[in-house]
Amino acid sequence: MTVAFKKTKGLTDKPLHYCPGCTHGIIHRLVAEVLEELEVLDKTIGVAPVGCSVFAYDYFNCDMQEAAHGRAPAVATGIKRVNPDKVVFTYQGDGDLASIGAAEIVHAAHRGEKITTIFVNNAIYGMTGGQMAPTTLVGQKATTAPYGRDEAHCGKSLKVSEMLATIDGAKFVERVSVNSPANIRKAKKAIKKAFELQLANKGFGIVEVLSTCPTNWGLSPVEAIKWLEANMIPYYPLGNLRDVEEAK
Amino acid sequence: MAKILMKGNEAIGAAAIKAGCRYFFGYPITPQNEVPEYMARELPKVGGVFLQAESEVAAINMVYGASGAGARVMTSSSSPGIALKQEGISYIAGAELPCVVVNVVRGGPGLGGIQPAQSDYYQATRGGGNGDYRMPVYAPSSIQETVDLIMGAFDVADQYRTPVMILADGMIGQMMEPIEFKEPKKRELAPKTWATTGTKDERKPNIINSLFIDPQELEDHCIRLEKKYDLIAQNECLVEEYKLEGAEIVVAAYGTTSRIVKNAIDKCAELGIKVGLIRPITLWPFPFASFEKIEDTTKAVLTVEMSTGQMIDDVKIAMNGRMPVEFYGRTGGMVPTPDAIVEKIKKIVGGEK
């Protein structure tokens, strides 16, 4: 019998803990498939964040280090400087990367740290129960923005990828989404390219993945996908923001 | 080997490199800047990496990553910078990773000043970061001793998989003394099979982590750590005892302060007052046994510190009410003089408070 599709070797057998309809599972699988296809699982060290994906170290089938909230790029820097011939990636949510870890991600990019960052943006703090993130949209309700995010009070939503794309050391910056099969394929392509950039020793690469949080958005999984398409994609447009190869 | 004249901060860097440290992540702060400057200059020559981080917070997390990846790694800072590093030190202790952290102490609280002080005793010995953890803290009194302790500290860190702190002060960092680099005693060290260096398809993935959601698992982890700390307390406590026999007064002092105290002790001898010294070299583990040996004929213990009184808590625990524990301290970067210490001792001998 021909096997048309099977589970990737890049993930362990541990069942994922994510809420129904959350797209972390898809993003995990894309990263794992890419690592398997590039045949680098045996030389990869991942850095897990604080937030919903805090248990990522149990799911990826490679060496993993857990980092403090926001510090994954600094931890990854330490690992990569010791093991320059290994593949090092961070997997971070938007609370982790855009808020408390903003300095670490900016400076890892600025140094041109040869790591790959998977940045999962669901516009809210998930694990701690739906508080406002820097990426929460204006007007969007969160437990710490019960009347909706007010721009005059706490600013507009932070466009991390646009910001990082202005930094010379960032060699690959792309925003993707996992809301449809077509976009999932594009997301995988971008993730693969970011890792290939690291393997070619070119510099820092980041893929921002727009993701859903049905639980904290208070929506069904299907409604959440629709909300992402109607609200997030217009503010966080998909596409490549920086690619040194294509710039040549 | 001939002795060479070196500035304390540079000797700290040189000792670390001789001990096999090849990675240094730091952030500038006075009065320890010659440490990162030395590492920036010398580490590339031996195939190592110096990286100036964007903050102390990032620096200690780079240490965490590098240590997890199996490297001998060090960072150094001074008081407010160490305060920022405490988050990472707690994670390093929780994940059981080895590293050396140097604190060239200056006065505080807050931004404080840049002159030598000993006001980080609590921060160093009481955790500083969150949770149930301890770490060996070495308090050298000379540049030679700093060098000796650093060279041994990397082995202690590796043996017990723990962060180790060298608690120097601005005086140690900034003065120059002749030193010689001696081979530390060899320790049996296990290979770092736990390090994250890629599985090479030869083993299951390694995970470096300090998260235990199940309370029972976390309690088990903390109890296991506590047993390790008990072992360190048994095996690694260092102390210098000086003229304790028949002492009327015993002074407790550490680091550079103990050198000033020794001067005061000699002056007291000229006055016919017998004074001894207990100098903890490890602040944790604290040398309780030395204090238990103090004879009942001793009138009092005097703790002298460059702080408003922090180690005195441990001295009081050690004496357990057996005799009065007095205190003399200067702080904020002010350094006690031998004469002022002699005056304090004379008052205690004379029955004055």
Side-chain angles (χ1 to χ4, degrees):
Chain A
M1 195 174 78
T2 316
V3 178
F5 183 78
K6 61 175 183 177
K7 187 174 155 286
T8 169
K9 274 200 302 187
L11 291 177
T12 63
D13 290 332
K14 188 135 183 164
L16 302 182
H17 71 283
Y18 300 110
C19 298
C22 165
T23 45
H24 260 309
I26 298 171
I27 304 163
H28 273 30
R29 207 185 70 197
L30 295 182
V31 174
E33 283 177 2
V34 164
L35 293 173
E36 184 187 9
E37 286 167 20
L38 293 173
E39 298 182 345
V40 294
L41 271 171
D42 62 335
K43 56 179 255 184
T44 295
I45 302 130
V47 184
V50 170
C52 285
S53 42
V54 71
F55 296 121
Y57 53 78
D58 274 339
Y59 305 140
F60 288 108
N61 192 19
C62 59
D63 279 359
M64 294 290 292
Q65 290 198 25
E66 175 62 50
H69 200 193
R71 318 298 179 220
V75 172
T77 297
I79 299 169
K80 186 72 181 189
R81 296 299 176 126
V82 173
N83 292 299
D85 57 334
K86 302 286 161 59
V87 176
V88 179
F89 77 93
T90 72
Y91 187 102
Q92 303 177 258
D94 48 308
D96 189 76
L97 181 143
S99 192
I100 196 168
E104 281 80 1
I105 198 66
V106 164
H107 286 275
H110 173 60
R111 287 190 300 269
E113 209 62 55
K114 293 168 186 68
I115 60 170
T116 305
T117 291
I118 309 301
F119 168 42
V120 182
N121 178 3
N122 61 8
I124 206 158
Y125 277 76
M127 182 194 243
T128 44
Q131 294 83 10
M132 187 180 71
T135 46
T136 298
L137 297 175
V138 171
Q140 183 187 342
K141 285 187 178 174
T143 58
T144 50
Y147 311 110
R149 184 184 185 122
D150 177 4
E151 182 186 344
H153 182 60
C154 56
K156 259 187 171 172
S157 325
L158 190 63
K159 290 181 173 175
V160 171
S161 289
E162 280 80 352
M163 175 176 73
L164 294 180
T166 66
I167 296 174
D168 283 346
K171 302 299 185 192
F172 183 82
V173 183
E174 186 156 325
R175 186 183 287 120
V176 297
S177 176
V178 287
N179 61 308
S180 68
N183 275 347
I184 289 171
R185 279 195 292 275
K186 282 185 196 164
K188 183 171 171 184
K189 208 174 151 195
I191 291 169
K192 195 164 195 173
K193 219 165 166 188
F195 275 105
E196 283 168 345
L197 178 101
Q198 182 181 166
L199 286 165
N201 228 19
K202 293 266 168 62
F204 177 79
I206 182 168
V207 179
E208 175 178 349
V209 188
L210 300 187
S211 179
T212 59
C213 184
T215 300
N216 287 304
W217 291 356
L219 299 172
S220 73
V222 173
E223 287 168 342
I225 291 283
K226 285 181 183 159
W227 191 87
L228 182 152
E229 289 164 353
N231 297 283
M232 287 184 75
I233 294 178
Y235 187 77
Y236 298 116
L238 306 183
N240 185 270
L241 290 133
R242 195 172 164 88
D243 187 344
V244 279
E245 289 303 294
E246 285 177 9
K248 275 178 190 168
Chain B
M1 198 179 135
K3 288 195 171 188
I4 49 171
L5 188 66
M6 268 189 115
K7 189 170 184 173
N9 282 336
E10 296 202 322
I12 286 168
I17 291 174
K18 281 193 190 295
C21 171
R22 290 294 176 270
Y23 296 87
F24 183 95
F25 304 94
Y27 188 77
I29 181 170
T30 307
Q32 61 80 57
N33 289 321
E34 295 85 357
V35 184
E37 286 165 1
Y38 183 90
M39 295 309 241
R41 198 164 65 235
E42 299 300 327
L43 268 176
K45 295 179 188 170
V46 292
V49 174
F50 163 85
L51 186 62
Q52 183 169 318
E54 63 269 28
S55 67
E56 286 89 350
V57 174
I60 192 69
N61 281 282
M62 290 173 186
V63 168
Y64 174 106
S67 176
R72 272 208 162 171
V73 56
M74 184 170 93
T75 187
S76 70
S77 191
S78 182
S79 310
I82 293 290
L84 287 169
K85 286 188 166 125
Q86 295 289 358
E87 173 198 78
I89 293 172
S90 166
Y91 277 74
I92 289 168
E96 295 190 81
L97 296 176
C99 71
V100 173
V101 178
V102 178
N103 184 359
V104 182
V105 183
R106 62 191 240 184
L111 210 43
I114 58 167
Q115 299 298 326
Q118 294 181 314
S119 44
D120 292 354
Y121 183 93
Y122 288 154
Q123 189 195 47
T125 62
R126 298 304 193 259
N130 60 298
D132 280 324
Y133 77 93
R134 296 282 193 170
M135 71 179 156
V137 179
Y138 293 96
S141 66
S142 67
I143 299 177
Q144 180 65 57
E145 193 177 36
T146 308
V147 162
D148 296 342
L149 290 174
I150 285 179
M151 290 179 78
F154 282 94
D155 275 6
V156 171
D158 278 346
Q159 183 176 335
Y160 298 97
R161 291 178 59 184
T162 176
V164 172
M165 181 172 279
I166 306 292
L167 196 76
D169 62 52
M171 196 110 71
I172 295 275
Q174 292 299 319
M175 68 185 178
M176 294 182 89
E177 283 185 321
I179 51 162
E180 108 185 85
F181 293 97
K182 294 171 273 190
E183 283 292 313
K185 70 169 182 180
K186 287 270 176 244
R187 287 181 189 244
E188 290 277 326
L189 296 175
K192 295 181 175 179
T193 52
W194 44 266
T196 56
T197 52
T199 63
K200 300 178 187 75
D201 269 340
E202 290 167 355
R203 56 162 171 78
K204 284 185 177 168
N206 281 339
I207 297 170
I208 305 285
N209 183 27
S210 64
L211 178 68
F212 299 88
I213 289 289
D214 179 338
Q216 189 56 62
E217 278 184 29
L218 180 55
E219 188 184 49
D220 292 346
H221 175 63
C222 290
I223 288 171
R224 208 171 49 72
L225 287 179
E226 189 56 25
K227 283 184 180 159
K228 175 167 88 174
Y229 299 142
D230 287 346
L231 202 63
I232 296 173
Q234 276 173 35
N235 297 340
E236 306 298 339
C237 191
L238 296 176
V239 64
E240 181 193 356
E241 297 169 356
Y242 180 68
K243 295 187 175 175
L244 279 189
E245 205 177 326
E248 212 172 329
I249 303 290
V250 169
V251 180
Y254 70 95
T256 47
T257 304
S258 67
R259 293 169 71 161
I260 303 163
V261 167
K262 275 188 182 169
N263 200 314
I265 287 173
D266 292 343
K267 284 180 181 245
C268 283
E270 286 168 21
L271 298 170
I273 310 169
K274 290 181 84 172
V275 182
L277 170 72
I278 295 175
R279 175 173 78 92
I281 299 172
T282 48
L283 301 182
W284 189 86
F286 192 75
F288 290 107
S290 295
F291 290 88
E292 283 159 16
K293 282 192 302 196
I294 293 175
E295 296 157 9
D296 286 337
T297 48
T298 298
K299 279 188 182 156
V301 177
L302 169 65
T303 305
V304 181
E305 298 177 62
M306 286 195 286
S307 77
T308 56
Q310 298 191 13
M311 184 180 73
I312 188 171
D313 286 6
D314 278 332
V315 175
K316 283 183 174 173
I317 291 169
M319 296 316 293
N320 201 18
R322 197 149 68 85
M323 63 185 66
V325 177
E326 305 286 342
F327 179 74
Y328 178 76
R330 298 296 303 273
T331 192
M334 297 301 290
V335 177
T337 63
D339 287 345
I341 297 166
V342 170
E343 283 310 305
K344 178 71 185 177
I345 290 169
K346 275 161 64 179
K347 278 184 184 171
I348 297 169
V349 172
E352 283 179 57
K353 280 283 174 191

